[in-house]
Every structure is written in structure tokens, then in C-alpha cells.
Amino acid sequence: MTAFKGLKIRHKLFAVFVLSNILLIVSMWQVFQWSFDRGFVSYATERDRDFLEQMANRTANLYIYYDDWYFLVQESRMEREWHKAKLENLRDLVPPPSTPNLDLIYPSQYYRQRFLLFDLQKRPIIGSTPFASAETHAVKVDDRVVGYVGLRSIRELVQDQTLRFVKQQGEAFLLISAFMLAIAALLTWPLAQWLSRPLCSMRMATKKLSAGRFDTRIEVKGTDELADLSCDFNHLACTLENTREARKRWVADTAHELRTPVAILRGEIEAMQDGIIKVTPESLASLQHETIHITRLIDDLNQLSMHDVGSLNYDMEELELNDIVEQAVQTMTFPFNEAGLEIEFEDLESKPIKMTGDADRLHQLFSNLINNSLKYTNAPGKLKVSLSKQSKKAVILFEDSAPGVSEEEKERIFEQFYRIENSRNRATGGRGLGLAICTNIVNGHQGKINAYHSPIGGLGIKIELPLN
């Protein structure tokens, strides 16, 4: 494994492909050798058994004629002496002896070399192979066993020939395997490079991404796992790019929001120092108003940052959602009446809706949404708040009257510091963080919040909170 550490992935893929081919070739050769040996011997043994029965019948007929085994023993001895003489005098043409009875029993030279004969007590008469080591068949005359004919094991006879044949086949197989392995290597190397190319591209793109070039993208080709990985990389790069832009925008918006009240404070204080503005309760009240505006802005930013880092605590307990919504509506009834607006609460459930949540945070959520409508709804106008239960979730709707919002603005109103450039603008005193805080509180309760066009001409906010 240490040798592979310094290799690139295309080299590793190439090595894996080549080693797999070698292992496959070796396995195929072992299976072929085992199958050939077993199949050949089994086939030859079955042939021997079929032929032995014929040999036994022919031998029985001869035994009836001669009434002993001497005729076969004599012919077998003459044949052995002829073979011995032929081997000792290779240049002489020694005519073979006449063996009509042996020729009748086994005319094939293949079987003549293996022929065995045993007497009634299973002692060898022709051949020296033990009875238990040979394929045998009883010789019967009038249903009486007079001896046994047999054949030497095919394994003993063809062992040398088989080994030579197997060796020849092995050499041929190795040559063919080497040729096929060379072809596989030639095909595998470009394949390994082709497979590693997307990974190399991703490696280069990752380096660019780590260097801050978030506009880096990878060309997606195909539909396999590498293509999915490329899509995920592009999605990550897009997310990082959007996050960087959002961070820049957030810093700029925060600086802008703080600059205005601080500039007002500085201007009024310098005017008081220069004597342009007298220090009066009215001028001090103006300073206090700007200070309160800065304090609220800092508190809102602190809440958002605490939620983002996960340190905003939620005191979860079982509560009745109906009471919290109704209390938030009642708290804002007087400011609505003073602004010439109407607020209406409609509880569509006859029984209390129970859930697990933070009562203070939920009250803050509903108050922020009601206060948002108070600031941005034209008088005379109306806000309708309704509470209902759908399946295993509570649904709270906030629907106010004109002015409304455009489709594009509707998708962005939950962004930090975002304000709509119409009558729903900064003139009413909003900081552009209220709906962002509402989103965090809803997320903290595992719920959902979204905006839509109100049926009565303004903005609609829908909140879904999971129940117990």
C-alpha cells in the first residue's frame, strides 16, 4: 500500500485494471485445467466401463471353448517378449506374434496395453495391477463367475501424455493471455486517463475556489456519479458566491443603517457645542430618539447573529397557541385604532391548539408581523389575523389591505435590510430586519413562513408551525 501513495489516480486505476486482468486470467486457467482433467478422466472411465462388458462377454465365450486361461496367458507372454525384443533390436524388423484370441477380446492397441485378467480368487493372471486398483468386470459362464477382466487406470496410462498436453496448452494459453493483456493495457491507459480527467478538473477548480474565485464552474458531462459530483461542486460554488455577496451586502447595509443615526447625533451634538442649537428638552429628546433607534438596530442585529451561530436559546414548553395570538392582537389594538386601521382576529378552531414552543419568541413573532402591517398599511385599512389547524400543523395568516407588493419584491421581503420602494418604505421607521427576525423564530420552531398577495389588496404572510 505504501507504493501506491505517490501515484496519481490514473496510475492507480491503470494498476487496478491490469492486476484485475491478470487475476482473471490466472483464475480462468486454473478452472480450465481442473475442468479438463476431471472431464477427460471421467469420460475415459465411462468408456472403459462400457467396453469392459463387451470384453467380459468375449472372454467368456473363449473360456467355454478352452475351459481355462492358459491360452490368454500364453498369447500375452508372447506379446510381451515381442515388445521386449523389438525394443532391444530397434533396427530389426521383428514380426509380431499371432494372438488371435487377444485380438478377438480387444482389437485396439489402446486397450491391449491396459488389459488385465484375474482368476476367481481375484489374483492377477495377466498384468500386475492389484484388483482393487483396476476397473473390472466379472466373466460369467452359465451364471458362474470364472474370473475377471479389467483395465489399468486411465490416470496411470495417460499421466505423462496429459502432462505434456497440459504443458503445451499452458504455453499456448500464456501466449494468448500475454497478447490479450497487452491489448487490455493499451485500452486501459486511455480509459484511466479519461476517468481521471473530471477529477483533475475538479481538483483545479477546487484550488481556484479555495483561492476565493467563487465564479469557478465545472462543465458537466454525462449523467453518472462524476456528473452529479460536478453539479454539486457548481452548486457549492454558487452558494459560496451568493454567501460572499450577501456578506458584503450585509456589511454595507449595516454600515449604512448605523451611519445615518450616528451622523444625525454627531450633527446635533456639534450644533449644540457651537451654540447653533440650544440644549433644551426638545433637542435632548431628539438625541434620545436617535439613540433608541441605534439601540434597537443593534438589538436586532444581535438577535440575528445569535440565531445564525446557534446560541439563541429557546425555552420550549407546552403552550396554547390561540392565547398567544389573541394576546398579540389585543396588545396592538390601540395603536391600530390610533392609526385609523382595523385589526381582526378569527379563531377557526373550537378547541385550543396545543404545541411545544417558546411563548416569548412566538409573541415576538406575531407582534413583529402585526407591527409590520401597522407601519406599512394605508389608512383607512385593515389587518385580518386567522388561526386554523391543518393535519398536524397550525396555520396563522396575516392579511392586510393596500398597498401590496410586486412578485419580485414578495420573494425578497425576508432578506435583511430589504425595503420595498413604495409606500411600504423607510419613512415609517422600519429597519428592514423585522421579517428576517421572524424567519429565524419560525425556523427555530421547525416551521415555515412565506409571503403571498393578500385577498384584500395588501401583503399576506402565512406561518405553519408543527404541532405535538
Side-chain angles (χ1 to χ4, degrees), residues 12-24 181 184-185 188:
K12 294 180 181 179
L13 287 173
F14 178 74
V16 168
F17 289 150
V18 172
L19 291 176
S20 299
N21 286 328
I22 293 176
L23 180 61
L24 180 62
L181 188 61
T188 298

Side-chain angles (χ1 to χ4, degrees), residues 6-68:
L7 298 179
K8 294 184 178 180
I9 190 168
R10 60 175 176 269
H11 299 143
K12 294 180 181 179
L13 287 173
F14 178 74
V16 168
F17 289 150
V18 172
L19 291 176
S20 299
N21 286 328
I22 293 176
L23 180 61
L24 180 62
I25 290 172
V26 172
S27 302
M28 288 176 60
W29 168 242
Q30 293 295 332
V31 172
F32 167 77
Q33 193 174 26
W34 171 81
S35 177
F36 175 82
D37 180 66
R38 180 179 179 183
F40 175 76
V41 173
S42 299
Y43 168 74
T45 302
E46 289 298 325
R47 286 189 58 191
D48 288 350
R49 290 172 181 172
D50 293 339
F51 193 68
L52 271 173
E53 185 176 358
Q54 301 177 23
M55 291 172 60
N57 293 333
R58 295 168 185 169
T59 305
N61 294 330
L62 292 173
Y63 186 85
I64 294 173
Y65 182 78
Y66 290 100
D67 197 29
D68 60 16

Side-chain angles (χ1 to χ4, degrees), residues 100-372:
N101 296 307
L102 289 177
D103 293 341
L104 180 63
I105 296 175
Y106 43 83
S108 171
Q109 286 294 328
Y110 169 72
Y111 286 104
R112 183 170 299 207
Q113 298 175 22
R114 302 171 56 203
F115 180 72
L116 300 172
L117 181 63
F118 300 90
D119 62 13
L120 190 59
Q121 286 73 35
K122 301 181 181 180
R123 291 174 299 194
I125 299 175
I126 297 178
S128 58
T129 303
F131 183 85
S133 302
E135 288 287 340
T136 60
H137 195 285
V139 180
K140 295 181 179 181
V141 175
D142 297 331
D143 294 330
R144 179 173 58 89
V145 177
V146 296
Y148 299 89
V149 291
L151 292 170
R152 288 171 54 196
S153 173
I154 186 66
R155 295 179 182 275
E156 296 180 12
L157 184 65
V158 302
Q159 184 177 14
D160 294 338
Q161 293 87 337
T162 303
L163 291 176
R164 286 196 297 269
F165 175 76
V166 170
K167 183 178 180 181
Q168 293 174 356
Q169 294 299 314
E171 293 174 354
F173 187 83
L174 289 177
L175 290 176
I176 297 174
S177 299
F179 177 72
M180 298 302 296
L181 188 61
I183 295 178
L186 292 176
L187 295 176
T188 298
W189 178 246
L191 178 62
Q193 288 186 316
W194 176 73
L195 288 175
S196 64
R197 191 176 297 116
L199 298 178
C200 294
S201 300
M202 192 167 299
R203 173 173 170 268
M204 297 300 297
T206 304
K207 284 187 176 181
K208 294 179 181 178
L209 198 64
S210 61
R213 297 173 57 181
F214 298 126
D215 58 340
T216 303
R217 298 293 184 272
I218 298 177
E219 183 180 359
V220 179
K221 296 181 179 180
T223 57
D224 56 5
E225 289 80 358
L226 291 175
D228 294 339
L229 184 60
S230 299
C231 291
D232 293 339
F233 177 89
N234 291 339
H235 179 71
L236 173 63
C238 182
T239 302
L240 291 175
E241 185 177 18
N242 293 337
T243 301
R244 181 181 64 176
E245 295 302 322
R247 180 178 59 83
K248 290 181 179 179
R249 187 170 60 251
W250 188 87
V251 172
D253 291 342
T254 303
H256 175 73
E257 291 295 327
L258 290 173
R259 185 185 296 114
T260 301
V262 169
I264 293 175
L265 278 175
R266 179 181 177 182
E268 292 186 358
I269 291 174
E270 289 178 352
M272 290 179 183
Q273 290 176 338
D274 294 340
I276 300 175
I277 298 178
K278 295 182 179 180
V279 180
T280 62
E282 290 78 10
S283 61
L284 291 177
S286 176
L287 295 179
Q288 184 185 23
H289 175 75
E290 295 300 329
T291 304
I292 292 174
H293 181 74
I294 295 175
T295 301
R296 289 176 177 174
L297 178 61
I298 293 174
D299 289 341
D300 290 344
L301 291 172
N302 182 58
Q303 284 195 33
L304 291 174
S305 62
M306 289 176 64
H307 185 277
D308 290 340
V309 299
S311 60
L312 184 62
N313 295 325
Y314 287 89
D315 187 10
M316 295 296 188
E317 59 182 0
E318 187 172 340
L319 50 85
E320 293 184 1
L321 191 60
N322 314 60
D323 295 340
I324 298 178
V325 178
E326 185 175 4
Q327 183 181 4
V329 171
Q330 290 177 354
T331 302
M332 297 298 297
T333 299
F334 181 74
F336 264 73
N337 293 335
E338 282 193 335
L341 301 173
E342 178 186 355
I343 184 171
E344 175 188 349
F345 173 57
E346 182 179 11
D347 190 351
L348 301 178
E349 299 296 324
S350 57
K351 297 181 180 180
I353 299 177
K354 296 183 179 182
M355 66 169 289
T356 300
D358 188 323
D360 293 335
R361 296 295 180 188
L362 290 175
H363 188 276
Q364 180 186 5
L365 166 66
F366 302 142
S367 297
N368 281 357
L369 293 174
I370 296 173
N371 190 57
N372 186 74

Side-chain angles (χ1 to χ4, degrees), residues 63-97:
Y63 186 85
I64 294 173
Y65 182 78
Y66 290 100
D67 197 29
D68 60 16
W69 299 119
Y70 179 77
F71 68 100
L72 291 180
V73 175
Q74 182 66 17
E75 290 185 3
S76 179
R77 181 182 60 79
M78 292 171 57
E79 190 172 52
R80 286 198 305 272
E81 291 177 353
W82 174 77
H83 277 291
K84 183 179 179 181
K86 186 176 181 181
L87 291 174
E88 292 176 353
N89 303 278
L90 296 178
R91 296 181 181 180
D92 299 334
L93 296 177
V94 181

Side-chain angles (χ1 to χ4, degrees), residues 399-411:
E399 299 173 342
D400 59 25
S401 57
V405 297
S406 66
E407 191 67 29
E408 180 182 357
E409 292 169 333
K410 178 171 67 68
E411 302 298 331

